[in-house]
Amino acid sequence: MAPERRPEAGTIAGVLANVRRVPRRVRRQSRDVIETAVAQLFDAAVRHPQHTAPSGEYRIDDLARLAGTTTRNIRVYRDRGLLPPPLRVGRIALFNDTHLTRLRLITSMLDRGYNIAHVKEMLGAWEEGKNLGDVLGLETAIAGSWTTERPQTMPRAQAERLIDDRAAFERLVALGLIRLDDGQATVTRPKLIEAFNEIRGYGIGIDRLIGLYEETLPHIDAISDILVRAGAEHVVDQIKPGEPLSADTEIAELITMLVRFRTQAVASVTATLASSIESTIESMVGRLLSDYLEDAEQSRS
């Protein structure tokens, strides 16, 4: 009899198998076990997605959906030489997993601020075997990341210099944006602090910026609650409380759905917010310009 094959480490099946090995008493009494397992499951779902389209064969609409982009972008990337041509079956263009991985990488690099010419050059170097992984983090670029920001730990004195305002520093600690522990400080939202410092360069005080954060946070949490409840309702429909859990493959698909739900929710909210802010700024600038022209006209008369 052949030995039982263990699930591959780092996959959803592997994480579930490890959780089952933990004694039930420990699982029930230790929140850390569950929290660690949840983090591992989401990470595995990002790195080993369950494809809903036939594995290895996608039409352009399926490819765009799985990669989180548009069919128009795919055609542009093909025209610019970033994607190899698909397999043609009559009038149908069929893409494969190589196209999907490459497309996720292209999208990630463009999101990081590279232009198409840079992306093409770097992809060419990557294909030639040059070690771009150490420089660009290509594995993370392909797989994505469940956490949008990684906390940064540093000596407290360094964190205080980063903020350069004692009262503001204490407010950030009270808000949980900075955690203190035995002479060390952990900045939980480094990108937010970086944005604060950049905007301060235009003369807006950090107290005002922290106040804006406090003012907008409840609205952001409300949007998050609406979106997450929509995803949760779908999960509850699939996993009934008190009933046996579904097969591992179904659990994997659900977790993958939640990961993709998160990605698309962030993209949708970001695009909507950007459009709203752009419209509001245009309106404000229009009013300022009108007032300026009116004042200039009155000055001449």
Side-chain angles (χ1 to χ4, degrees), residues 30-208:
S30 176
R31 183 176 180 84
D32 290 343
V33 171
I34 299 301
E35 289 179 349
T36 300
V38 168
Q40 291 174 345
L41 283 169
F42 278 114
D43 184 63
V46 171
R47 296 182 179 280
H48 303 276
Q50 307 293 312
H51 301 309
T52 53
S55 179
E57 186 177 285
Y58 316 102
R59 296 194 181 196
I60 191 168
D61 290 339
D62 293 326
L63 183 69
R65 177 173 52 80
L66 289 169
T69 187
T70 65
T71 56
R72 180 179 179 278
N73 283 342
I74 293 175
R75 292 189 177 99
V76 170
Y77 302 153
R78 281 172 48 197
D79 292 343
R80 299 292 183 89
L82 299 181
L83 284 174
L87 173 67
R88 291 283 178 180
V89 180
R91 294 185 176 181
I92 299 174
L94 293 179
F95 299 84
N96 56 35
D97 286 329
T98 299
H99 292 97
L100 179 59
T101 297
R102 191 180 180 101
L103 185 55
R104 283 175 172 160
L105 177 57
I106 292 168
T107 300
S108 176
M109 293 172 76
L110 290 173
D111 287 344
R112 292 179 179 204
Y114 297 106
N115 60 38
I116 285 182
H118 289 153
V119 172
K120 186 173 183 180
E121 180 181 349
M122 287 186 282
L123 284 174
W126 183 38
E127 289 174 337
E128 291 172 9
K130 296 180 181 178
N131 189 16
L132 290 184
D134 292 338
V135 179
L136 300 174
L138 293 183
E139 181 180 353
T140 302
I142 294 170
S145 172
W146 176 251
T147 305
T148 54
E149 288 187 84
R150 299 289 183 187
Q152 294 179 356
T153 300
M154 61 191 73
R156 174 171 177 156
Q158 181 180 343
E160 289 177 341
R161 288 194 298 271
L162 181 66
I163 305 304
D164 196 27
D165 185 301
R166 177 58 64 87
F169 183 85
E170 297 300 333
R171 286 184 70 186
L172 293 171
V173 171
L175 288 168
L177 297 177
I178 296 177
R179 294 198 306 264
L180 302 178
D181 181 30
D182 193 25
Q184 294 289 101
T186 298
V187 179
T188 60
R189 296 286 310 280
K191 290 182 181 178
L192 181 63
I193 301 301
E194 181 181 338
F196 281 178
N197 284 335
E198 180 178 343
I199 297 173
R200 289 168 73 182
Y202 292 95
I204 300 177
I206 191 167
D207 281 339
R208 175 60 175 151

Side-chain angles (χ1 to χ4, degrees), residues 206-227:
I206 191 167
D207 281 339
R208 175 60 175 151
L209 295 173
I210 296 174
L212 288 172
Y213 171 79
E214 292 178 299
E215 186 178 346
T216 57
L217 187 59
H219 300 288
I220 295 171
D221 286 342
I223 294 171
S224 174
D225 182 65
I226 292 170
L227 295 174

